[in-house]
Amino acid sequence: MADELLDGAELLQLYPAPTGATQALRGVDVVVRPGRVTAITGPSGSGKSSLLAILALRERPAGGELRWRGRAVSTLGRRDLHRIRRRETGWIAQVPGDCLFPQLTARRQLTQVARLRRVTPDPDAALRALDLTARAGARLAAMSGGEQQRLAVAAAAVGPPALIVADEPTAELDDDTAELVLAHLRSSAAAGAGVVMATHDARAVAFADTVLHLSRGVLSGTTSQTGNGREHATAIDGQGRIQLPAAALALFPAGQVVVTVRDGHVELHP
């Protein structure tokens, strides 16, 4: 579709392990659209960080296809990827210092990012929105973890860029500062950015327009905000595979099912 910023189909990611290659992602389909906030959830080891790194164009998938504005990422050269990451994407690392300039003050952080993205800087407005005005002249070493986290969000959202990708952006924040961060991300989405965040935080999950549920490297389902409230759908991948919820798995102790198609619906029987 024309309004898709990122479109991933059958994404596969492998990581080396002592016993051989490990599948971090297996056949994941995902779409990121401008103006929408997407949360990726799942237990530790479910593949959240792997999917986030691929969507941020920081890693290439081992299999499947990822498209950026309709163009296959596999056809993009190093210079193209560097330009997109610098000018069109904002990255919020789980450790804020990994995506900030330690030698710069908070205000200079934002003006530097604006220069790299070739946009007009408005650092005072961003600092004010995230309650960092009093820390405008402070460097990272003099800032608390929560202040660094909010500054990382402010820097990622300068512009705003086409895409903002965040790894646990509210994990270490209290309710008031988490609300500031989520409001700033929503403001960026309203200005046209696609926002994706990996999170364990129920506050961030409730805030998202779409929630992707990962389990053991597989997309088990999605939850979307509709006019009638939240709607949950179980995902079917390109190979026709579906992940059943734990309550349903208990009905099939032998690990096998009889599938029957009847009157336009599917029945599963032990």
Side-chain angles (χ1 to χ4, degrees):
M1 292 176 61
D3 65 343
E4 290 171 357
L5 182 62
L6 282 168
D7 183 5
E10 288 289 297
L11 295 177
L12 172 72
Q13 189 59 294
L14 304 174
Y15 287 119
T19 56
T22 298
Q23 288 187 332
L25 296 174
R26 295 180 289 143
V28 172
D29 297 333
V30 59
V31 173
V32 177
R33 293 188 172 91
R36 301 279 293 180
V37 178
T38 300
I40 303 171
T41 69
S44 297
S46 61
K48 297 190 303 297
S49 294
S50 298
L51 181 55
L52 213 64
I54 288 173
L55 296 178
L57 306 182
R58 299 172 69 84
E59 294 182 6
R60 293 182 186 266
E65 182 175 71
L66 179 67
R67 291 184 171 273
W68 168 265
R69 298 187 186 275
R71 182 178 176 184
V73 171
S74 59
T75 67
L76 297 174
R78 226 184 252 180
R79 292 180 65 181
D80 289 329
L81 285 172
H82 180 71
R83 178 188 57 78
I84 292 171
R85 285 196 295 261
R86 170 178 279 193
R87 298 186 193 170
E88 299 192 68
T89 67
W91 169 251
I92 303 166
Q94 191 168 4
V95 179
D98 292 346
C99 58
L100 294 169
F101 303 102
Q103 75 278 16
L104 299 181
T105 65
R107 195 175 193 281
R108 286 289 306 281
Q109 299 270 355
L110 304 186
T111 56
Q112 174 69 1
V113 174
R115 185 183 70 82
L116 293 173
R117 291 189 186 149
R118 300 183 179 181
V119 297
T120 302
D122 190 3
D124 295 328
L127 292 171
R128 186 167 53 250
L130 288 157
D131 194 23
L132 289 170
T133 300
R135 309 297 286 150
R139 292 180 171 83
L140 287 190
M143 301 179 76
S144 69
E147 289 169 343
Q148 290 183 20
Q149 188 68 43
R150 282 178 280 152
L151 181 59
V153 171
V158 168
L163 174 70
I164 298 173
V165 181
D167 193 354
E168 299 284 358
T170 61
E172 304 300 326
L173 303 179
D174 61 30
D175 286 346
D176 290 339
T177 49
E179 186 176 344
L180 291 177
V181 163
L182 294 174
H184 202 63
L185 293 175
R186 174 62 69 191
S187 177
S188 298
V195 177
V196 183
M197 56 182 170
T199 184
H200 287 99
D201 189 343
R203 299 169 300 186
V205 171
F207 169 84
D209 300 308
T210 301
V211 182
L212 306 180
H213 305 276
L214 286 181
S215 176
R216 298 181 181 180
V218 176
L219 182 63
S220 61
T222 62
T223 303
S224 300
Q225 185 69 47
T226 68
N228 297 319
R230 293 251 163 184
E231 180 180 278
H232 182 78
T234 299
I236 303 175
D237 68 16
Q239 302 300 315
R241 294 171 296 198
I242 184 173
Q243 279 210 350
L244 297 178
L249 283 175
L251 301 175
F252 306 99
Q256 293 183 317
V257 299
V258 175
V259 181
T260 304
V261 180
R262 190 192 312 276
D263 298 330
H265 66 272
V266 176
E267 297 177 1
L268 304 180
H269 300 275

